[in-house]
Amino acid sequence: MEKAGLSTILRSKNTVFTFKDIALLWRNTNANLVKRRIHYYVKNGALYSIRRGIYAKDTHYNRFELATKIYTPSYISLETVLQEEGVIFQHYNKIFVVTYLTREITCDGQTYVFKKIKDTVLMSSIGLEKKENYEIASKERAFLDVLYLYKNYHFDNLKSVNWDTCFRILPIYDNKTLARKLDSYYKHAGRS
């Protein structure tokens, strides 16, 4: 029984598991039994404890997956996506996540910045890409998230932004100020 529990985790495509994920994988509703088994695996080095209630197969877990497991629902966005897409040139060692609250957490040597966004935006899948174990914003969704969440922001390179996609995503924010900001960026940067 113990080996079957661990092998179920090891066969999973996920690299990060919450307590609830493990209980569901094991199809076990006895929380005390699940806790004891997890504790046993962690103590014997078969599972890696990242933080309370969150575990990994080993230390080589996907940090984006962890970021979206700390608080759910959530998705990778903001500076993390814009930096990868070349829209901003500033390098950040932090991983930026959009979720239902604002927090900054350092976990296992990595800093995660969580930014609160309204539920209607958070729950919309428009402009999000589903990766194997997490969701990440498209360049345009991350751009709109930044415009929505920050008062003033400097973008280094807007040439690759698809303005039609931005205007298609815009209605989920239901925000006139954001619409004006987007219009202004489109007029100044979108046509150059």
Side-chain angles (χ1 to χ4, degrees), residues 62 64-65 68 76 129-136:
N62 184 317
F64 284 1
E65 184 181 357
T68 60
I76 307 297
E129 183 182 342
K130 179 81 172 137
K131 297 287 187 175
E132 200 164 279
N133 305 317
Y134 61 91
E135 285 188 319
I136 188 166

Side-chain angles (χ1 to χ4, degrees), residues 72-75 98-102 115-126 128 135 141 145 148-149 171-174:
T72 54
S74 60
Y75 59 90
V98 171
T99 190
Y100 59 89
L101 51 78
T102 298
K115 294 287 187 180
K116 180 181 180 172
I117 205 158
K118 65 182 178 178
D119 289 346
T120 52
V121 176
L122 182 59
M123 301 312 286
S124 176
S125 62
I126 298 169
L128 294 182
E135 285 188 319
R141 172 83 178 248
D145 285 346
Y148 180 78
L149 292 172
I172 68 171
Y173 296 88
D174 190 27

Side-chain angles (χ1 to χ4, degrees), residues 47-115:
L47 277 181
Y48 179 66
S49 178
I50 303 170
R51 64 181 270 136
R52 186 177 177 163
I54 302 179
Y55 310 91
K57 294 176 184 178
D58 55 40
T59 57
H60 305 291
Y61 58 87
N62 184 317
R63 295 197 184 266
F64 284 1
E65 184 181 357
L66 171 61
T68 60
K69 293 270 184 164
I70 294 172
Y71 298 112
T72 54
S74 60
Y75 59 90
I76 307 297
S77 186
L78 307 168
E79 288 89 341
T80 301
V81 172
L82 296 180
Q83 176 185 315
E84 284 186 2
E85 293 287 342
V87 176
I88 59 173
F89 300 150
Q90 175 71 37
H91 178 73
Y92 293 93
N93 288 325
K94 300 175 179 182
I95 295 175
F96 292 84
V97 186
V98 171
T99 190
Y100 59 89
L101 51 78
T102 298
R103 296 271 189 289
E104 185 167 313
I105 294 172
T106 300
C107 180
D108 207 18
Q110 175 68 57
T111 301
Y112 300 90
V113 178
F114 298 90
K115 294 287 187 180

Side-chain angles (χ1 to χ4, degrees), residues 122-161:
L122 182 59
M123 301 312 286
S124 176
S125 62
I126 298 169
L128 294 182
E129 183 182 342
K130 179 81 172 137
K131 297 287 187 175
E132 200 164 279
N133 305 317
Y134 61 91
E135 285 188 319
I136 188 166
S138 66
K139 174 183 9 186
E140 291 76 17
R141 172 83 178 248
F143 173 67
L144 289 170
D145 285 346
V146 166
L147 287 181
Y148 180 78
L149 292 172
Y150 301 123
K151 186 170 181 152
N152 295 312
Y153 199 89
H154 173 73
F155 300 96
D156 298 301
N157 178 18
L158 292 175
K159 289 182 177 124
S160 65
V161 172

Side-chain angles (χ1 to χ4, degrees), residues 163-178:
W163 298 100
D164 291 337
T165 302
C166 287
F167 283 105
R168 197 168 48 250
I169 297 170
L170 180 64
I172 68 171
Y173 296 88
D174 190 27
N175 186 286
K176 291 177 183 172
T177 303
L178 176 60

